[in-house]
Amino acid sequence: MNSANLFLSIPDQLPNELVDLLADNGQVRIERIASRGHASPPGFWYDQQEHEFVLLLQGQAELELLGPQERLSLQAGDYLLIPAHRKHRVVWTSDEIDCIWLAVFYHDRE
Amino acid sequence: MNSANLFLSIPDQLPNELVDLLADNGQVRIERIASRGHASPPGFWYDQQEHEFVLLLQGQAELELLGPQERLSLQAGDYLLIPAHRKHRVVWTSDEIDCIWLAVFYHDRE
């Protein structure tokens, strides 16, 4: 049985964002991501070939998106759907409370 | 922007489980499900053509699965991956605290 708790197994030291792969069948990839004050480098934008459904489970964060330009402040329970190639970056994540994200990446039907 | 908070917009009255479709491209379907003491009818088993990644965001629940037989008590943050056609049922969900689930249904690559 592939099961666990997404709030557990965050290391004491987190020099980089932690990405745990929960499921991947070549079509869909599900990740648990833990951030602690991490942000995208200045000028860096994600530009992904996959759609991304992303849900903040714990903590607080701010995202910036282009096309159109938007800034979103996220609390626990907030989700958004980022279409493929919509550029986005992480402006800020909380460090007093770890940010725990669930991200689902998927393609369109071929 | 398709965004919202999964902990909000639960109606006062919940005679049946509430299913909100968050994303669906024919390949992947993402749902928010709210249960309040709901359970599968006696003898009923889900037998799905899709894989299901299911995450309990709030509340407590108990699932039963076959092949092999297992009972799982779930707390907030617990997830499991239920392969297609693995039979399962909801034994019990909390009613003092609403159960809020995120479910991702997906197919294998064709």
Side-chain angles (χ1 to χ4, degrees):
Chain A
M1 193 79 225
N2 190 350
S3 66
N5 191 290
L6 295 184
F7 295 120
L8 303 181
S9 307
I10 310 285
D12 291 341
Q13 303 296 322
L14 207 59
N16 298 303
E17 274 193 338
L18 175 70
V19 178
D20 291 301
L21 185 65
L22 308 180
D24 185 3
N25 74 341
Q27 201 74 33
V28 178
R29 190 172 79 257
I30 304 178
E31 296 177 349
R32 193 272 303 264
I33 302 168
S35 326
R36 186 181 295 157
H38 299 96
S40 303
F44 173 85
W45 293 91
Y46 290 99
D47 182 0
Q48 300 165 171
Q49 294 192 325
E50 302 151 305
H51 306 304
E52 179 179 356
F53 172 93
V54 64
L55 164 64
L56 187 61
L57 297 167
Q58 177 183 286
Q60 294 182 298
E62 191 173 339
L63 299 183
E64 187 174 4
L65 301 102
L66 297 181
Q69 198 273 344
E70 268 185 298
R71 271 195 184 233
L72 290 179
S73 292
L74 302 181
Q75 311 283 333
D78 284 340
Y79 74 88
L80 67 157
L81 193 53
I82 305 174
H85 295 299
R86 184 164 186 202
K87 290 185 181 178
H88 60 283
R89 60 191 302 278
V90 180
V91 178
W92 173 86
T93 60
S94 56
D95 56 1
E96 294 183 1
I97 301 175
D98 288 342
C99 272
I100 300 181
W101 310 82
L102 184 82
V104 181
F105 299 91
Y106 59 99
H107 293 279
D108 277 330
R109 189 193 285 266
E110 283 162 14
Chain B
M1 194 79 227
N2 189 350
S3 66
N5 190 291
L6 294 185
F7 295 120
L8 303 180
S9 308
I10 310 285
D12 290 341
Q13 303 296 323
L14 207 59
N16 298 303
E17 274 194 337
L18 175 71
V19 178
D20 291 302
L21 185 64
L22 308 181
D24 186 2
N25 74 340
Q27 200 74 32
V28 178
R29 190 171 80 258
I30 303 177
E31 297 177 348
R32 191 274 301 263
I33 302 168
S35 327
R36 187 181 294 158
H38 299 96
S40 302
F44 174 85
W45 294 91
Y46 290 99
D47 183 358
Q48 300 166 170
Q49 294 192 324
E50 301 151 307
H51 305 304
E52 178 179 355
F53 172 93
V54 64
L55 164 65
L56 186 61
L57 296 167
Q58 178 183 284
Q60 293 181 299
E62 191 174 339
L63 299 183
E64 187 176 4
L65 301 103
L66 298 181
Q69 198 272 347
E70 267 185 299
R71 272 197 183 230
L72 290 178
S73 291
L74 302 181
Q75 311 283 334
D78 285 340
Y79 74 88
L80 69 157
L81 192 54
I82 305 174
H85 296 299
R86 184 164 186 202
K87 290 185 180 177
H88 61 282
R89 61 191 300 277
V90 180
V91 178
W92 173 86
T93 60
S94 55
D95 57 0
E96 293 184 2
I97 302 175
D98 288 343
C99 273
I100 301 181
W101 309 82
L102 183 83
V104 182
F105 300 91
Y106 58 99
H107 293 280
D108 276 329
R109 188 194 285 265
E110 283 161 16

XYZ file of all heavy atoms in Angstrom, chain A residues 10 14-18 34-41 56 58-62 90-101:
248
model
N 9.493 15.801 7.269
C 10.182 17.008 6.794
C 11.488 17.081 7.591
O 11.457 17.103 8.823
C 9.359 18.288 7.066
C 7.920 18.149 6.577
C 10.051 19.503 6.466
C 7.719 18.243 5.112
N 16.723 22.133 5.844
C 16.086 22.140 4.524
C 16.789 23.190 3.656
O 16.219 24.255 3.367
C 14.602 22.471 4.700
C 13.606 21.957 3.645
C 13.641 20.453 3.528
C 12.204 22.420 3.989
N 18.044 22.906 3.259
C 18.781 23.917 2.482
C 18.136 24.206 1.138
O 18.220 25.332 0.633
C 20.169 23.284 2.311
C 19.995 21.825 2.579
C 18.834 21.707 3.524
N 17.478 23.201 0.562
C 16.753 23.387 -0.694
C 15.325 22.899 -0.505
O 15.030 22.168 0.432
C 17.405 22.569 -1.817
C 18.827 23.001 -2.079
O 19.086 24.159 -2.377
N 19.764 22.073 -1.925
N 14.457 23.325 -1.413
C 13.110 22.759 -1.410
C 13.205 21.240 -1.492
O 14.072 20.692 -2.181
C 12.315 23.266 -2.621
C 11.631 24.580 -2.405
C 10.618 24.884 -3.491
O 10.711 24.318 -4.596
O 9.735 25.714 -3.237
N 12.288 20.582 -0.809
C 12.265 19.112 -0.807
C 11.114 18.655 -1.699
O 9.969 19.080 -1.507
C 12.041 18.628 0.621
C 11.874 17.128 0.821
C 13.197 16.407 0.583
C 11.344 16.840 2.222
N 8.066 20.623 -0.037
C 8.194 21.359 1.224
C 9.158 22.525 1.010
O 10.263 22.340 0.499
C 8.706 20.441 2.328
N 8.709 23.721 1.381
C 9.524 24.933 1.260
C 9.605 25.581 2.647
O 8.640 25.534 3.411
C 8.897 25.960 0.317
O 8.192 25.386 -0.752
N 10.730 26.184 2.925
C 10.899 26.899 4.208
C 11.624 28.202 3.906
O 12.838 28.302 4.022
C 11.689 26.015 5.181
C 11.804 26.569 6.594
C 12.633 25.637 7.473
N 11.992 24.341 7.659
C 12.664 23.217 7.989
N 13.965 23.245 8.156
N 11.999 22.081 8.151
N 10.840 29.186 3.487
C 11.445 30.469 3.144
C 12.065 30.487 1.757
O 12.649 31.488 1.348
N 11.939 29.383 1.015
C 12.517 29.333 -0.333
C 11.666 30.151 -1.304
O 10.465 30.299 -1.127
C 12.600 27.884 -0.822
C 13.455 27.028 0.046
N 12.947 26.241 1.056
C 14.797 26.867 0.090
C 13.938 25.608 1.670
N 15.071 25.975 1.109
N 12.310 30.660 -2.325
C 11.622 31.429 -3.368
C 12.361 31.201 -4.677
O 13.484 30.685 -4.695
C 11.608 32.914 -3.010
N 11.722 31.564 -5.769
C 12.395 31.471 -7.065
C 13.486 32.542 -7.141
O 13.310 33.650 -6.638
C 11.389 31.693 -8.201
O 10.332 30.763 -8.115
N 14.617 32.235 -7.770
C 15.656 33.251 -7.929
C 15.104 34.460 -8.696
O 14.176 34.313 -9.505
C 16.734 32.533 -8.757
C 16.466 31.069 -8.591
C 14.983 30.948 -8.395
N -1.819 24.435 -1.541
C -1.011 24.699 -0.345
C -1.707 24.051 0.849
O -2.856 24.399 1.173
C -0.846 26.208 -0.137
C 0.103 26.609 0.985
C 1.519 26.091 0.739
C 0.129 28.133 1.155
N -0.202 23.692 4.011
C 0.231 24.288 5.282
C 1.150 25.452 4.960
O 1.908 25.383 3.986
C 0.980 23.233 6.096
C 1.550 23.730 7.409
C 2.348 22.658 8.122
O 1.805 21.721 8.690
N 3.666 22.776 8.083
N 1.120 26.504 5.793
C 2.011 27.635 5.612
C 1.351 28.744 4.802
O 0.133 28.744 4.566
N 2.172 29.677 4.382
C 1.715 30.817 3.586
C 2.723 31.044 2.470
O 3.920 30.778 2.642
C 1.630 32.070 4.445
C 0.573 31.999 5.525
C 0.526 33.299 6.303
O 1.499 33.689 6.932
N -0.609 33.976 6.253
N 2.233 31.572 1.360
C 3.126 31.772 0.215
C 2.564 32.848 -0.696
O 1.385 33.222 -0.600
C 3.288 30.464 -0.566
N 3.412 33.348 -1.546
C 2.981 34.303 -2.560
C 3.540 33.873 -3.910
O 4.725 33.560 -4.030
C 3.463 35.712 -2.202
C 2.818 36.780 -3.062
C 3.165 38.194 -2.609
O 3.567 38.382 -1.450
O 3.052 39.113 -3.449
N 7.692 31.651 -7.568
C 7.389 31.724 -6.140
C 8.077 32.973 -5.597
O 9.308 33.070 -5.605
C 7.889 30.465 -5.406
C 7.575 30.562 -3.916
C 7.268 29.218 -6.026
N 7.285 33.943 -5.157
C 7.839 35.200 -4.649
C 8.356 35.006 -3.231
O 9.415 35.533 -2.858
C 6.756 36.292 -4.645
C 7.291 37.597 -4.076
C 6.205 36.502 -6.059
N 7.625 34.203 -2.461
C 7.901 34.147 -1.030
C 7.208 32.931 -0.431
O 6.113 32.571 -0.871
C 7.326 35.445 -0.422
C 7.337 35.549 1.051
C 8.364 36.004 1.844
C 6.259 35.209 1.950
N 7.979 35.941 3.170
C 6.707 35.478 3.250
C 4.972 34.716 1.770
C 5.911 35.254 4.382
C 4.167 34.493 2.879
C 4.643 34.778 4.171
N 7.865 32.271 0.516
C 7.191 31.231 1.312
C 7.518 31.449 2.783
O 8.598 31.958 3.121
C 7.639 29.801 0.919
O 9.051 29.653 1.121
C 7.313 29.492 -0.540
N 6.604 31.086 3.641
C 6.806 31.254 5.086
C 7.948 30.350 5.554
O 8.181 29.280 4.986
C 5.515 30.932 5.847
O 5.032 29.645 5.550
N 8.653 30.791 6.591
C 9.702 29.930 7.148
C 9.417 29.559 8.592
O 9.989 28.597 9.098
C 11.095 30.554 6.991
C 11.197 31.935 7.606
O 10.202 32.418 8.165
O 12.293 32.527 7.523
N 8.542 30.311 9.256
C 8.202 29.915 10.634
C 7.334 28.659 10.595
O 7.441 27.795 11.463
C 7.474 31.043 11.357
C 8.377 32.256 11.569
C 7.702 33.365 12.354
O 6.533 33.171 12.742
O 8.333 34.413 12.555
N 6.450 28.606 9.619
C 5.673 27.387 9.373
C 6.084 26.876 8.002
O 6.027 27.622 7.021
C 4.158 27.687 9.381
C 3.750 28.291 10.732
C 3.356 26.434 9.089
C 2.295 28.730 10.779
N 6.529 25.640 7.947
C 6.920 25.078 6.649
C 5.744 25.142 5.681
O 4.605 24.869 6.050
C 7.336 23.605 6.800
C 8.681 23.457 7.500
O 9.427 24.437 7.570
O 8.953 22.335 7.971
N 6.038 25.467 4.443
C 5.041 25.375 3.378
C 5.026 23.940 2.870
O 6.065 23.419 2.457
C 5.412 26.284 2.206
S 4.795 27.930 2.397
N 3.854 23.337 2.885
C 3.710 22.004 2.317
C 2.704 22.092 1.183
O 1.583 22.583 1.370
C 3.270 20.990 3.393
C 4.335 20.954 4.501
C 3.075 19.609 2.784
C 4.043 19.978 5.607
N 3.154 21.661 0.021
C 2.363 21.748 -1.208
C 2.075 20.353 -1.742
O 2.908 19.463 -1.635
C 3.160 22.450 -2.315
C 3.825 23.741 -2.033
C 5.042 23.928 -1.420
C 3.363 25.053 -2.389
N 5.350 25.272 -1.379
C 4.343 25.981 -1.959
C 2.221 25.531 -3.029
C 4.220 27.355 -2.154
C 2.095 26.893 -3.236
C 3.076 27.797 -2.789
